Amino acid sequence: MNWDFSEILTSFLKDKKGKLLSEGNFGFERESQRIISSGDLALTPHPPVFGDKLENQRITTDFSESHIEMITPTFKTIEEAYEELNTICTEVENGIGDELLWPLSMPPKLPDENNIPIASFPDSEEGIYKEIYRKGLALRYGKKMQMISGIHYNFSFDKEMVDYLYDLLGNGKDKRSFINEIHFALTRNFLRYRWMLIYLFGASPFCHPTYYSVIDKEIKIIQKSCSSCVESIKNFNQYATSLRVSRFGYSNILKHNQNIYFNSLDEYSKKIRKLMTTRNDDYSKLGLYKNNSQIQLNGNILQNESEFYSSIRLKQNIGKDETQLDALEKRGVQYVEVRILDLNPFEKLGLSLEQMYFIQVFMLFCLFEQSNPITEEEYDRINLNHHLITLFGRKENLLLQKYNGRAIALKQWGEEIFVKLKMIADLMSNATGDDKYRNSVENEHKKLFDISFLPSERIHREMENNKEDFLEFGTRCAVNNLNIN
């Protein structure tokens, strides 16, 4: 889409539509492991006080029986969604008794792989399907990788804002097609600039030794393709920002050449459906049944569309007997789901309101910035920047790859982006009479030049200063968060 950032902002200012930038629909999903006071994974069943996992829309499980998932409905303001997440989190804390919510994205002390309990569901068609799908994930990737947690942020633009953009830039095209186009354009820019969010909010620089087997396996894979890379990667603890979204975390970005560029709904749909119907030799050899029990849904590259990992997803509310992909194809994009956020152990809910104000500004930047289709060459640079930031983001003078092919210092590129972020935040704050957007951008800007403000660096320094290991630090934060009203 041929959009000009300055012209769009000028139009919002001239037409006095700046307030629309702060409006929309907002919701959160938070995953956390239940632990006992020692920091070990709780092996107790999902507390019965929360009822049927398939029926409770607020509190359910993710991969494991110990893997609590808290889900808010959508609200008209970030503050309302945040307060509802707080209410649900408090309900969970009260319902798990003497157990605690692990406050970090990388898992706590894990038992042997065989003893990690996959979530069980009622003996219904839906429940059986969910269990088999999880068994397939365990078979393909190992259970430990599935124990990673995070925050998902769901939001859609206000209808009045979409209508305004359509009147301004629609050029008479079909409105549903226009809405799809702006969401895919936003998503491509999110992929291009997500390294910024990983740098600013990455909060998983360490993991427990019980997770090392996953890392060792990945290092062996790296060694086969780039033996000279191994030594620097082995020192990831020194500079990492987010193991969760690194190649040591839950990501199949590099597997099976899954180059999905989000250039259009048609391209996206065709590629996902091909991955779901293409046989994978390795997965097929694992078999579908063991001891008369089904252990994966199929032997294809993806068991279903949920297995495709992406740092952002485009979504539509689904109807009865409908998949997410069906819904997108029939009715187009309704909202986006940001999936790249680590749990921040210094925040009771795993994230702060100020962080969400910044992300709202960031998403508008992604929408307004020029967004050409992604090529294979650019896609490789996008992923390179992603992995550089996850494992070396705190390294002084880190160089990234700009999408014109030249190297650029993280700080320099960050400065260029923050110029535009500040323009958006100023417009939003002036239009609403509230400095929260301007202040959030100014506070995040400080992290470019002082890494002591980064959550990943704060974790590193606290563990070092307190002479704590990963388990001691996480357990202390869990107790501290429990005591916050």
Side-chain angles (χ1 to χ4, degrees):
M1 299 184 70
N2 191 23
W3 287 23
D4 183 274
F5 180 92
S6 296
E7 286 183 8
I8 293 175
L9 276 196
T10 300
S11 295
F12 273 93
L13 181 63
K14 181 183 67 176
D15 295 338
K16 298 181 179 179
K17 296 290 185 179
K19 193 174 180 183
L20 293 178
L21 303 179
S22 63
E23 297 175 352
N25 299 286
F26 309 90
F28 298 108
E29 303 168 35
R30 175 190 168 179
E31 306 156 349
S32 289
Q33 298 290 350
R34 291 185 289 110
I35 61 167
I36 59 177
S37 60
S38 64
D40 291 73
L41 186 73
L43 300 179
T44 50
H46 184 67
V49 68
F50 302 136
D52 188 330
K53 299 168 191 170
L54 297 179
E55 298 295 330
N56 192 333
Q57 300 299 308
R58 300 165 72 250
I59 304 168
T60 184
T61 54
D62 193 73
F63 170 77
S64 170
E65 193 69 6
S66 63
H67 210 169
I68 288 269
E69 184 170 13
M70 295 159 268
I71 307 165
T72 75
T74 56
F75 293 88
K76 288 294 185 181
T77 68
I78 291 174
E79 290 85 355
E80 289 174 295
Y82 190 82
E83 184 54 40
E84 178 63 13
L85 181 61
N86 184 47
T87 298
I88 297 172
C89 186
T90 300
E91 182 180 341
V92 168
E93 289 171 341
N94 292 335
I96 62 176
D98 292 335
E99 295 173 351
L100 298 166
L101 290 178
W102 183 247
L104 292 153
S105 280
M106 295 307 288
K109 184 179 179 182
L110 296 173
D112 182 76
E113 183 102 4
N114 294 329
N115 295 326
I116 296 174
I118 293 174
S120 61
F121 291 89
D123 191 18
S124 64
E125 184 177 350
E126 181 184 3
I128 292 169
Y129 181 92
K130 285 180 175 290
E131 279 197 44
I132 295 171
Y133 171 61
R134 284 161 171 75
K135 288 178 182 178
L137 293 177
L139 188 68
R140 295 169 174 219
Y141 309 106
K143 291 181 180 179
K144 292 182 178 181
M145 188 182 290
Q146 306 304 315
M147 301 298 281
I148 293 171
S149 301
I151 295 271
H152 297 173
Y153 169 47
N154 302 311
F155 94 98
S156 62
F157 297 112
D158 185 79
K159 181 180 181 300
E160 189 178 341
M161 176 174 158
V162 174
D163 290 343
Y164 175 72
L165 287 173
Y166 179 68
D167 291 340
L168 188 68
L169 300 159
N171 295 321
K173 70 174 58 176
D174 172 72
K175 190 171 185 181
R176 171 48 61 192
S177 297
F178 175 79
I179 292 172
N180 287 339
E181 282 186 25
I182 64 173
H183 282 93
F184 274 84
L186 175 153
T187 299
R188 290 193 297 275
N189 277 338
F190 184 91
L191 297 179
R192 289 176 172 116
Y193 302 110
R194 68 180 187 254
W195 64 263
M196 173 74 79
L197 294 186
I198 300 170
Y199 173 79
L200 296 175
F201 302 121
S204 53
F206 302 105
C207 63
H208 190 266
T210 52
Y211 190 84
Y212 286 173
S213 58
V214 178
I215 292 176
D216 291 341
K217 183 178 178 181
E218 189 63 26
I219 286 177
K220 288 177 182 177
I221 294 172
I222 296 170
Q223 190 157 20
K224 289 180 181 178
S225 59
C226 181
S227 57
S228 61
C229 303
V230 172
E231 284 308 310
S232 61
I233 287 176
K234 281 182 178 178
N235 295 324
F236 64 85
N237 278 340
Q238 189 174 357
Y239 302 115
T241 58
S242 178
L243 297 186
R244 170 179 170 263
V245 295
S246 76
R247 61 184 303 156
F248 297 140
Y250 183 53
S251 167
N252 54 18
I253 290 174
L254 300 180
K255 293 177 182 283
H256 317 305
N257 296 315
Q258 294 180 16
N259 296 351
I260 296 180
Y261 306 140
F262 292 89
N263 286 333
S264 70
L265 177 55
D266 182 62
E267 178 205 60
Y268 174 81
S269 174
K270 286 178 179 176
K271 285 190 174 182
I272 292 290
R273 291 203 180 279
K274 183 177 181 181
L275 292 169
M276 291 194 296
T277 55
T278 301
R279 181 181 182 273
N280 177 274
D281 289 340
D282 292 334
Y283 297 157
S284 295
K285 288 175 184 176
L286 296 171
L288 296 185
Y289 292 87
K290 184 176 182 180
N291 299 326
N292 297 319
S293 176
Q294 191 168 350
I295 54 175
Q296 58 177 333
L297 295 174
N298 52 62
N300 298 331
I301 294 174
L302 298 179
Q303 295 178 91
N304 62 27
E305 62 196 86
S306 297
E307 192 172 341
F308 171 65
Y309 175 84
S310 179
S311 55
I312 185 171
R313 284 181 178 169
L314 296 169
K315 305 194 83 169
Q316 170 64 254
N317 287 333
I318 60 174
K320 187 178 180 182
D321 300 323
E322 189 177 51
T323 68
Q324 183 57 237
L325 202 52
D326 293 335
L328 278 174
E329 291 169 343
K330 291 175 186 175
R331 297 184 296 283
V333 181
Q334 183 178 8
Y335 66 99
V336 300
E337 179 188 33
V338 174
R339 300 164 53 83
I340 206 167
L341 303 176
D342 285 352
L343 292 172
N344 184 340
F346 304 111
E347 296 288 339
K348 177 180 173 61
L349 303 186
L351 78 170
S352 68
L353 270 175
E354 185 177 84
Q355 178 182 353
M356 302 319 301
Y357 299 145
F358 176 86
I359 291 174
Q360 182 67 3
V361 175
F362 180 83
M363 298 305 284
L364 288 165
F365 162 75
C366 291
L367 176 66
F368 296 154
E369 186 76 346
Q370 176 67 34
S371 182
N372 295 322
I374 291 175
T375 64
E376 183 176 356
E377 183 180 11
E378 185 184 17
Y379 185 76
D380 289 341
R381 290 196 180 105
I382 287 170
N383 283 335
L384 174 62
N385 288 333
H386 175 110
H387 291 299
L388 284 171
I389 288 290
T390 60
L391 296 181
F392 304 103
R394 291 184 288 124
K395 189 174 183 178
E396 184 70 20
N397 300 321
L398 179 67
L399 293 178
L400 301 178
Q401 288 290 315
K402 231 180 176 184
Y403 303 126
N404 59 9
R406 68 184 179 91
I408 185 170
L410 181 157
K411 293 177 182 178
Q412 182 184 342
W413 199 0
E415 275 285 74
E416 293 175 8
I417 294 170
F418 266 96
V419 168
K420 294 184 175 181
L421 293 174
K422 287 184 177 182
M423 291 170 66
I424 297 171
D426 285 342
L427 177 55
M428 295 172 74
S429 288
N430 291 338
T432 60
D434 193 327
D435 284 337
K436 61 189 182 186
Y437 303 104
R438 183 183 291 116
N439 292 341
S440 70
V441 171
E442 289 176 353
N443 287 334
E444 294 307 320
H445 187 212
K446 296 174 185 176
K447 294 179 180 178
L448 275 183
F449 302 97
D450 188 346
I451 66 169
S452 69
F453 292 112
L454 298 175
S456 54
E457 179 67 12
R458 285 186 63 192
I459 292 169
H460 172 78
R461 293 189 182 192
E462 282 213 12
M463 288 174 60
E464 193 173 69
N465 292 339
N466 295 330
K467 296 181 171 53
E468 293 174 314
D469 61 23
F470 179 77
L471 204 61
E472 291 167 336
F473 170 77
T475 305
R476 175 172 62 82
C477 288
V479 173
N480 289 345
N481 290 339
L482 184 65
N483 294 328
I484 297 174
N485 294 322

